[in-house]
């Protein structure tokens, strides 16, 4: 499934990007507070700092805004993760650094991630497969890292075990956001990261 094109009446690409970033920031705050269905495009326009007419020069519908929210969050997470992963890191230590970086991104983008998963169900049949594909691309980053460690002989995992481990890493990072109401009363991010690193790597080292 390819990326959904969101038409704009404006031709200036830099202006489109800036305006849509403003919309995404405003929408995340409103969706978190009111939910997708109870938030109006007029409220998003006001929170973005421009008129409803201006808003519709950059999107066609409220669902377009939700799509842009989801797309920007995945792109932001992936970019941050790739920036924080040192290409020279290798072995188990490299995996540990990557997981730690991912958990930090989840912590920094808690509201955005929470909104995305709460409201993604409202995406159209056209847009949802693309967003789900982005989720798999994020998981693939960890699959690749684990595969390299297996090739180096530090882990002994089958292909399916690598895939399961990568999904576990992604989900456990997201859990810091989804269950923050409980977890963040018990642990600091550093404590949570170290605990999960111990459990994840102990569980996936194999024989």
């Amino acid at each position: 499934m390819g990326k959904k094109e969101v038409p704009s009446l404006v031709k200036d690409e830099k202006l489109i990007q800036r305006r849509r970033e403003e919309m995404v920031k405003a929408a995340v705050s409103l969706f978190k507070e009111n939910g997708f269905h109870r938030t109006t495009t007029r409220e998003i326009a006001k929170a973005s700092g421009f008129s409803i007419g201006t808003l519709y020069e950059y999107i066609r519908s409220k669902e377009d805004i939700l799509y842009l929210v989801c797309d920007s969050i995945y792109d932001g997470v992936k970019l941050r993760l790739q920036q924080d992963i040192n290409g020279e890191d290798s072995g188990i230590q490299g995996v540990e650094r990557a997981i730690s970086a991912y958990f930090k991104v989840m912590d920094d983008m808690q509201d955005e991630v929470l909104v995305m998963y709460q409201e993604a169900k409202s995406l159209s049949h056209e847009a949802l497969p693309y967003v789900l594909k982005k989720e798999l691309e994020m998981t693939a980053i960890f699959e690749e890292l684990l595969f390299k460690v297996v090739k180096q002989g530090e882990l002994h995992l089958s292909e399916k075990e690598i895939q399961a481990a990568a999904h576990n890493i992604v989900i456990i990072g997201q859990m810091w956001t989804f269950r923050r109401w409980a977890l963040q009363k018990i642990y600091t991010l550093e404590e949570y990261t170290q605990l999960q690193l111990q459990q994840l790597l102990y569980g996936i080292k194999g024989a």
Side-chain angles (χ1 to χ4, degrees):
M1 177 68 188
K3 183 170 184 173
K4 175 186 173 184
E5 293 298 326
V6 178
S8 171
L9 299 176
V10 177
K11 302 305 179 185
D12 185 331
E13 291 297 330
K14 289 184 179 180
L15 183 57
I16 292 172
Q17 181 177 352
R18 186 170 78 247
R19 290 297 198 195
R20 286 180 174 175
E21 286 173 356
E22 292 167 349
M23 286 182 206
V24 165
K25 183 178 179 180
V28 166
S29 178
L30 289 167
F31 291 165
K32 177 192 171 190
E33 183 176 351
N34 304 322
F36 172 73
H37 292 292
R38 290 192 300 273
T39 298
T40 67
T41 51
R42 190 171 298 278
E43 289 171 330
I44 295 171
K46 182 179 179 181
S48 301
F50 40 80
S51 69
I52 188 70
T54 299
L55 181 138
Y56 279 112
E57 291 178 358
Y58 296 93
I59 53 96
R60 296 172 304 178
S61 66
K62 188 171 65 171
E63 198 257 2
D64 281 347
I65 301 175
L66 177 59
Y67 172 80
L68 293 172
V69 167
C70 294
D71 194 42
S72 67
I73 291 170
Y74 275 121
D75 285 347
V77 170
K78 188 175 179 180
L79 178 62
R80 283 276 306 276
L81 188 56
Q82 289 173 333
Q83 288 174 340
D84 289 339
I85 295 175
N86 188 335
E88 297 179 357
D89 288 344
S90 60
I92 292 293
Q93 287 188 338
V95 174
E96 288 181 356
R97 291 191 189 97
I99 293 172
S100 298
Y102 171 62
F103 285 10
K104 179 64 167 62
V105 174
M106 290 293 101
D107 184 63
D108 290 343
M109 300 181 69
Q110 290 181 49
D111 288 347
E112 291 90 339
V113 171
L114 192 61
V115 164
M116 180 178 66
Y117 281 99
Q118 285 178 334
E119 304 298 347
K121 62 184 182 295
S122 299
L123 288 168
S124 68
H125 293 304
E126 174 190 1
L128 184 58
Y130 171 75
V131 170
L132 295 178
K133 179 173 175 286
K134 302 274 278 193
E135 173 91 357
L136 293 177
E137 288 175 359
M138 192 163 62
T139 306
I141 294 174
F142 291 104
E143 287 184 18
E144 183 178 352
L145 287 170
L146 291 169
F147 179 74
K148 288 179 180 178
V149 177
V150 168
K151 285 192 69 176
Q152 293 168 356
E154 292 190 57
L155 292 176
H156 303 279
L157 301 170
S158 68
E159 182 178 351
K160 287 188 175 181
E161 287 171 332
I162 289 173
Q163 292 171 338
H167 281 283
N168 283 342
I169 291 167
V170 171
I171 291 168
I172 289 169
Q174 293 167 348
M175 186 168 70
W176 178 249
T177 292
F178 298 153
R179 295 188 64 81
R180 62 185 181 182
W181 55 271
L183 293 173
Q184 294 181 25
K185 293 178 182 177
I186 304 171
Y187 310 106
T188 64
L189 175 63
E190 291 72 22
E191 290 170 340
Y192 180 79
T193 300
Q194 289 305 312
L195 176 65
Q196 295 296 355
L197 282 173
Q198 291 171 9
Q199 294 185 353
L200 278 165
L201 296 180
Y202 177 79
I204 66 176
K205 275 189 175 180

